[in-house]
Amino acid sequence: MLFRALSRSKPPFLIPLFLQNLPINHPLASFFINPNSRTSTEVSFSASGVFFSNSTNGFSLIFGRNYHDGRPRGPLWRGKKLIGKEALFVILGLKRFKDDEEKLDKFIKLHVLRLLKMDMIAVLVELQRQEEVSLALKIFRIIQKQDWYNPDAYLYKDLIIAMSRCKRMDDVMQLWSDMKKEELFPDSQTYSEVIRGFLRDGSPADAMNIYEDMLKSPDLPEELPFRILLKGLLPHPLLRNKVKKDFEELFPERSVYDPPQEIFGMR
């Protein structure tokens, strides 16, 4: 702020304190005292890291680097792209009419279908963030019918994780099946969240089906889904032993903690 004020004012009135004690014949002091010296060529003192420039009507003073005028640079000024007005209007309308199927369908035809690609995806992402998963699924089905739609594992991933966290496991399995039809493969995070969702839902058999599917994936499995299963299958020692054996074969350098038998019901 000092340098900005200095550049907009007459130098004799705002000379910095560290310049006041300079000898009168010092080049830096003469620059401030004699305004006409600003029209001369650029002055630099490489030893001290001080630079002057006459590229503008003022001057610039920086220690070690070129002077910046203080205005935010592009990314800091603009920030992240916010949700557009149309997308925000659609989100509010969908939430307003979500309990009235007739009004909801009419609103979708009038407003959702006219959204641009990025606005439609922004609506989908925001509905997932707000855990409006039923509406998010509707928007996802609309996106799939657009001419610009290409199968995308990340669109499936975010929606599957949102559904799993909201305990909508039937919808998860439908999306899982659709994902396979489009020849897309989940990543480790998707497997982990779906396995966790089935274990939380009290369906260890479904969790094991997802586990078997993970073992057949072209990508090498990661450690996290195994850890989730090893913890969630404590009441089911036979299933847990199978997962433990596979884990020790795939990650021989890792260890598995086995709690006392009393914890999972074997006495």
Side-chain angles (χ1 to χ4, degrees):
M1 296 299 294
L2 173 63
F3 292 131
R4 293 182 64 186
L6 191 61
S7 65
R8 296 174 182 176
S9 305
K10 294 182 179 180
F13 299 100
L14 290 174
I15 297 177
L17 294 177
F18 67 87
L19 296 175
Q20 291 182 358
N21 296 324
L22 290 176
I24 194 66
N25 59 350
H26 194 283
L28 193 58
S30 64
F31 180 85
F32 286 99
I33 296 173
N34 182 14
N36 294 329
S37 64
R38 291 184 222 172
T39 60
S40 61
T41 58
E42 182 176 88
V43 179
S44 63
F45 300 91
S46 59
S48 61
V50 179
F51 301 92
F52 287 87
S53 174
N54 62 345
S55 58
T56 61
N57 293 330
F59 65 93
S60 60
L61 176 63
I62 283 295
F63 293 88
R65 61 186 180 88
N66 291 331
Y67 171 68
H68 185 262
D69 62 4
R71 290 176 297 180
R73 294 178 176 85
L76 296 177
W77 183 260
R78 292 189 297 269
K80 295 183 179 179
K81 185 181 184 303
L82 301 177
I83 298 177
K85 292 182 179 179
E86 292 221 9
L88 184 59
F89 171 78
V90 166
I91 292 170
L92 295 175
L94 290 172
K95 293 172 65 176
R96 179 182 179 185
F97 299 123
K98 65 180 180 180
D99 296 326
D100 190 326
E101 196 68 26
E102 183 178 352
K103 291 183 179 179
L104 181 62
D105 291 340
K106 184 178 180 180
F107 182 84
I108 288 173
K109 292 177 182 178
L110 290 176
H111 300 286
V112 176
L113 295 179
R114 64 191 296 268
L115 289 176
L116 298 176
K117 173 182 177 180
M118 296 309 298
D119 285 332
M120 198 173 290
I121 293 177
V123 170
L124 173 64
V125 172
E126 182 62 19
L127 289 174
Q128 291 169 171
R129 188 189 70 80
Q130 297 184 20
E131 296 187 349
E132 296 285 352
V133 290
S134 297
L135 294 174
L137 184 58
K138 280 184 175 293
I139 298 299
F140 180 72
R141 296 306 185 193
I142 293 172
I143 289 176
Q144 286 182 306
K145 298 176 182 179
Q146 303 304 305
D147 296 335
W148 46 261
Y149 171 75
N150 287 319
D152 189 336
Y154 289 99
L155 286 178
Y156 274 102
K157 170 185 174 179
D158 293 340
L159 188 54
I160 286 174
I161 291 176
M163 290 286 183
S164 178
R165 290 175 178 174
C166 293
K167 302 180 181 181
R168 298 280 296 270
M169 302 313 295
D170 291 338
D171 292 322
V172 167
M173 291 310 299
Q174 182 60 53
L175 290 168
W176 196 272
S177 176
D178 295 343
M179 195 175 185
K180 294 298 182 182
K181 291 177 182 177
E182 294 187 356
E183 298 181 354
L184 299 174
F185 296 96
D187 62 1
S188 179
Q189 184 184 4
T190 311
Y191 281 116
S192 300
E193 291 295 336
V194 175
I195 289 173
R196 183 184 282 114
F198 277 123
L199 291 174
R200 183 174 54 235
D201 199 42
S203 304
D206 291 324
M208 289 300 294
N209 290 335
I210 300 298
Y211 169 73
E212 296 292 343
D213 187 78
M214 180 183 72
L215 295 180
K216 298 175 184 177
S217 173
D219 298 327
L220 292 176
E222 297 185 11
E223 185 176 346
L224 180 58
F226 286 91
R227 295 290 186 185
I228 293 173
L229 274 169
L230 289 171
K231 180 179 179 180
L233 292 177
L234 286 175
H236 309 278
L238 295 179
L239 296 177
R240 187 177 186 274
N241 287 337
K242 180 182 184 307
V243 175
K244 178 182 176 181
K245 180 180 178 182
D246 294 338
F247 178 81
E248 291 173 342
E249 292 177 357
L250 290 170
F251 305 96
E253 72 282 0
R254 301 291 185 178
S255 59
V256 178
Y257 170 72
D258 291 319
Q261 292 182 352
E262 292 80 3
I263 291 181
F264 49 90
M266 295 184 63
R267 296 181 180 274

